[in-house]
Amino acid sequence: MAVKRIEAEPSTLVVELDHAALIIIDMQRDFLEPGGFGETLGNNVALLKAAVPPLQKLLDAARACKMLIIHTREGHRPDLSDAPKHKVERGEPSLRIGAPGPMGRILIRGEPGHDIIPELYPAPGEPVIDKPGKGAFYQTDLELMLKNREIDTLFVCGVTTEVCVNTTVREANDRGFRCIVLSDCCASYFPEFHAAGLAMIKAQGGIFGWVAASPHVVAAMDSP
Ligand code: C5J
């Protein structure tokens, strides 16, 4: 696979796609569909849907160029033994993590709401990382998987920009990975947090990483 130039902020990047992976954060029904965790917290889940069409194109391009694609899901064991007390005890008791909802128990592994939305469903062989926290590196084997495949650059997208995407990018940056966040393939329930989340990543010469619009990345993946 060739070395590609990618238009990004704060600077253009040269990326060896063989050493890059696409990390899709938490595109789960619980965050994107009515009746899930996101909505129980009082959010308008429709705001997250804008990221789905560009992400579908990006996913197709990454699959076509045989890039490593990793999906993540935030959630907990049914007995909540991996869920911190102070995470569970937030909000209205009937709407908390583990409470029954229209898509099963909220944010519990194995429940329909915990799964990835059909539009972006993992293909056979694409790893899915189940994470108990906001960051995809915390208490998971993601770092080992990336190092074993000699990955040094991560294209990061998903929801929400300022929570799980930002936390993962910060964790990755401290572990030596170069992150490129796809601005139109991320979303937030709060448009101003989306903008601030991206601004914080690329500020100060790219203090946590780079930000690019997905058409630039798709073009790089598509070019021979
Ligand atoms: C949140 C996430 N927002 N995936 N999770 O609780 O960003």
Side-chain angles (χ1 to χ4, degrees):
M1 218 184 276
V3 169
K4 303 290 168 75
R5 284 178 76 80
I6 295 180
E7 289 305 314
E9 292 181 295
S11 57
T12 300
L13 290 171
V14 176
V15 179
E16 216 177 319
L17 294 186
D18 275 336
H19 293 285
L22 173 62
I23 312 289
I24 305 179
I25 304 287
D26 301 358
M27 293 301 282
Q28 295 162 254
R29 299 182 64 200
D30 258 333
F31 293 114
L32 283 115
E33 293 184 3
F37 183 59
E39 195 177 66
T40 66
L41 296 177
N43 298 305
N44 173 8
V45 293
L47 285 167
L48 303 195
K49 284 278 184 180
V52 176
L55 222 166
Q56 281 177 304
K57 286 191 189 139
L58 181 71
L59 184 56
D60 286 346
R63 283 177 177 153
C65 75
K66 307 222 176 319
M67 181 174 285
L68 173 64
I69 298 162
I70 296 181
H71 306 256
T72 73
R73 299 184 295 201
E74 180 179 352
H76 297 279
R77 293 169 181 261
D79 64 2
L80 297 180
S81 57
D82 61 347
K85 178 175 179 286
H86 298 296
K87 183 178 183 187
V88 175
E89 291 178 358
R90 280 178 206 171
E92 168 69 31
S94 65
L95 303 174
R96 289 177 179 171
I97 294 170
M103 291 190 287
R105 291 179 67 205
I106 292 168
L107 233 53
I108 298 298
R109 294 178 189 165
E111 300 288 342
H114 175 260
D115 213 352
I116 292 170
I117 58 169
E119 300 95 306
L120 298 170
Y121 209 76
E126 290 173 1
V128 177
I129 301 276
D130 278 320
K131 61 190 185 64
K134 303 303 181 195
F137 288 86
Y138 176 67
Q139 301 288 352
T140 73
D141 49 11
L142 176 60
E143 184 170 8
L144 190 59
M145 293 171 70
L146 296 172
K147 295 248 157 100
N148 284 345
R149 297 198 200 202
E150 299 181 11
I151 300 295
D152 65 10
T153 298
L154 307 180
F155 293 105
V156 188
C157 51
V159 298
T160 61
T161 315
E162 77 281 11
V163 183
C164 292
V165 172
N166 246 268
T167 306
T168 298
V169 167
R170 289 165 190 232
E171 288 179 327
N173 181 59
D174 278 348
R175 286 165 174 77
F177 296 99
R178 173 173 62 170
C179 290
I180 305 166
V181 178
L182 288 309
S183 53
D184 50 335
C185 298
C186 297
S188 170
Y189 303 117
F190 307 91
E192 67 277 26
F193 290 174
H194 172 76
L198 297 177
M200 281 190 272
I201 287 164
K202 68 184 177 185
Q204 303 177 74
I207 194 131
F208 296 121
W210 282 257
V211 175
S214 67
H216 295 305
V217 177
V218 170
M221 288 175 177
D222 283 348
S223 70

